[in-house]
Amino acid sequence: MSEQPIALVTGANKGIGYEVAAGLGGAGCVVGVGARDGQRRDEAVAKLRTAGVDAFGVALDVTDTASVAAAAQLIDERFGRLDILVNNAGIAGPWPGEPTAVSPEALRAVLETNVVGVVRVTNLMLPLLRRSSRARIVNQSSHVASLTLQTTPGVELGPVSGAYSPSKTLLNAVTIQYAKELSGTTIKINNACPGYVATDLNGFAGTSTPEQGAAIAVRLALLPDDGPTGGLFDDNGAVPW
Ligand code: NAP
C-alpha cells in the first residue's frame, strides 16, 4: 500500500483543476486526474508526469453514476483507500444567465454538475475516504456563492447570475451538512474560493492564473489534523457564508 497520500481531483484536465493536481503532486501526493474526455485526460496525465507528478488517469463524468462508481472501483483496486478528494469539476451554464432568462433545463444542468455531481462523487468515494486515517474533501465554491457578500452593498461580484451563483450557494449549504454529519470523524470538508481566474469557464477574462486560483484548494486538501472543517476559505482566510 502506498505511503504517499492518494488524491483524486475531478475536472483536472485543465484550468484550476489541473493546477490543483500539479500542486498536490508537488506536495508528494499520488494524483488521480479525473476527467471525462479520454484524450484531454491522457494529455494532462502525460504533462503532469513530465513535471514529476505521480499522476494516473481516472475516467469520470460527475453527472454519470456508473462512471463515478467505476472510478471508485479503480481507486479501490489500485490503492484500497482515498486520502484527498477535490470536487473541482464545474460548469458556468448560461452566462451571466439573469434569473429572468434562465430556462429550467439550463438551471437543472448547472445544478446537476455543480451540486448533484459533488454529492454523487463524494458519496461514492466515501467508503474509500473512510479508510484513510485523515481524509480531506475540498469543494470548489466561489465568492459569488456568498449570500453575505451578495447582499453587502458595494461588494463587486460580477453580473447577476441565476444559475451559476445559486448553484455554488447550494453547494455551500450541502457542505455544511456534510461537515455536521462527519464531525467526530477524521474527515474534514471545506469549500474553496479560487478568486477570479482566467480559464475556459469565463473566456479567460479572470485576473489571476490557474496556479494562483488552485492554491487555496491545495492548502485545504493538505490541512493538518488541527485544521478547520465546514468552512469557506480564500487565500486571505475565512469567507462569510
Ligand atoms: P474550466 O477550465 O472550464 O474547467 C472545468 C473542468 O471541469 C474541466 O476539466 C471540465 O472538463 C470539468 N467538467 C465539467 N463538467 C464535468 C463533468 N460532468 N464531469 C467531469 N468533469 C467535468 O473551469 P475552471 O475555472 O478551472 O473551474 C474549476 C472549478 O472552479 C469550477 O468548479 C468552477 O466553478 C470553480 N471556480 C472558478 C472560478 C474562475 O474564476 N475560473 C472562480 C470560482 C470558482 P471538460 O474539459 O471535459 O469540459
Side-chain angles (χ1 to χ4, degrees):
M1 198 180 264
S2 173
E3 295 299 317
Q4 295 168 268
I6 312 301
L8 172 66
V9 183
T10 68
N13 57 296
K14 64 179 178 180
I16 300 169
Y18 175 86
E19 293 297 341
V20 172
L24 291 176
C29 301
V30 180
V31 185
V33 175
R36 56 186 170 177
D37 181 275
Q39 189 180 336
R40 286 202 290 272
R41 185 174 61 246
D42 289 348
E43 286 168 2
V45 169
K47 201 171 149 196
L48 285 163
R49 283 190 184 152
T50 301
V53 174
D54 191 350
F56 64 102
V58 180
L60 187 151
D61 180 336
V62 303
T63 66
D64 184 278
T65 299
S67 111
V68 180
Q73 192 179 343
L74 180 148
I75 294 168
D76 190 5
E77 286 168 3
R78 197 152 166 189
F79 303 102
R81 72 174 203 278
L82 184 63
D83 300 299
I84 295 169
L85 170 63
V86 180
N87 285 306
N88 168 83
I91 58 171
W95 187 257
E98 292 86 351
T100 54
V102 167
S103 69
E105 294 74 23
L107 177 59
R108 259 189 223 112
V110 172
L111 291 172
E112 181 62 34
T113 298
N114 294 2
V115 183
V116 182
V118 172
V119 172
R120 178 180 287 112
V121 174
T122 301
N123 288 353
L124 284 167
M125 295 297 163
L126 257 174
L128 295 169
L129 291 161
R130 287 187 192 279
R131 287 187 215 143
S132 169
S133 56
R134 48 199 305 270
R136 306 288 180 257
I137 303 169
V138 182
N139 299 327
Q140 287 288 24
S141 185
S142 171
H143 291 98
V144 303
S146 165
L147 294 177
T148 303
L149 296 179
Q150 286 284 4
T151 53
T152 301
V155 174
E156 177 48 51
L157 286 174
V160 173
S161 147
Y164 180 77
S165 299
S167 77
K168 295 292 184 178
T169 307
L170 178 54
L171 177 61
N172 285 352
V174 168
T175 300
I176 290 172
Q177 299 303 314
Y178 270 109
K180 288 169 83 162
E181 184 185 347
L182 296 172
S183 70
T185 75
T186 57
I187 303 175
K188 294 184 188 298
I189 179 165
N190 289 288
N191 283 12
C193 299
Y196 190 33
V197 184
T199 66
D200 268 337
L201 192 93
N202 50 37
F204 296 91
T207 49
S208 54
T209 66
E211 190 178 357
Q212 290 169 327
I216 183 61
V218 171
R219 195 174 316 153
L220 293 172
L222 299 173
L223 278 177
D225 291 344
D226 61 354
T229 189
L232 178 68
F233 299 95
D234 67 10
D235 286 333
N236 298 315
V239 174
W241 299 107

